[in-house]
Amino acid sequence: MPLYRDDAIVLRTHKLGEADRIVTMLTKRHGKVRAVAKGVRRTSSRWGSRVEPFMLIDVQLYEGRNLDIVSQVETKEPYARRIVEDYGLYTAATAMVETSDKLVDHEREPAWDQYRLLHGALGSLSRREHDPGLVLDSFLLRSLALAGYEPSFDACASCGREGPHRAFVVAGGGAVCEACRPPGSAAPAPETFSLLEALLQGNWRGADASDQRHRRDAAGLIAAYTQFHLERKVRSLPLVDREPVVLRHPTLDAPLG
């Protein structure tokens, strides 16, 4: 069987038989890969903890007919060990990997940009550089932009008229002018629009300076926009803990990836 090696982020796992796991990974060069990690549920396994969600690993695999087989794993970044210590970090990271899994539909198709973005976002979470809710929301917006669903927060998404505008339409692609505004559309505060734009652009100086009310409003719009364009529910989003945390290593204008 052909052998290959790649860097990978573990997205999810589930049990197989009595001692094995099926591991779904987003790899640097091979896109999404599913593989069998044999014996990792045994207490004697030397690398069972290395194939847990959020871990960044160097993995060697054999190509299989249906599923590949993990033959060797080395830890590159133990993101999971740092993230699972805090509920807010854990819930944000869970929503990230679930979204990545849904956005990368097909296996073995290169998804370098999505891998790079997820790598940067998990790293930012593990280092507690920014509020985890902000990191998640920035990740969601930028992931959707990579997939071709970038929202507009200034020009009207319908007619292109220059903004700023006061209405936001999830199904319409973002901000809309008064002429294009449908009944019942959301009317975020100007500060919320500014925060949304900062999150999309990775402007952490502006995002970190936002207040909690506008963060909550932005998070609701982003969640609705994400699930509409994914055309499926992200089950972990309602579980995200939005309570602010103490930042250990604050940075300004640091990219997610």
Side-chain angles (χ1 to χ4, degrees), residues 11-12 20 26 40 47 53 135 157 168 176 188 217 222 239 248:
L11 302 180
R12 59 186 170 92
D20 305 338
L26 184 60
V40 295
W47 40 270
V135 177
F168 186 92
V176 294
D217 292 345
I222 293 168
L239 304 177
R248 292 177 179 170

Side-chain angles (χ1 to χ4, degrees), residues 190-202:
E191 294 87 351
T192 302
F193 270 120
S194 296
L195 173 58
L196 289 166
E197 183 66 31
L199 293 171
L200 179 61
Q201 299 300 326

Side-chain angles (χ1 to χ4, degrees), residues 41-86:
R41 290 165 52 208
R42 296 193 181 103
T43 55
S44 59
S45 173
R46 292 179 299 173
W47 40 270
S49 62
R50 301 174 191 171
V51 288
E52 292 296 326
F54 322 138
M55 292 292 281
L56 175 63
I57 56 177
D58 175 4
V59 61
Q60 182 174 277
L61 305 106
Y62 287 102
E63 289 187 11
R65 181 175 299 177
N66 296 314
L67 294 171
D68 293 348
I69 300 171
V70 176
S71 65
Q72 186 177 339
V73 179
E74 298 293 338
T75 300
K76 296 201 71 174
E77 289 288 350
Y79 292 147
R81 298 173 193 171
R82 305 165 192 161
I83 288 172
V84 298
E85 295 174 351
D86 185 280

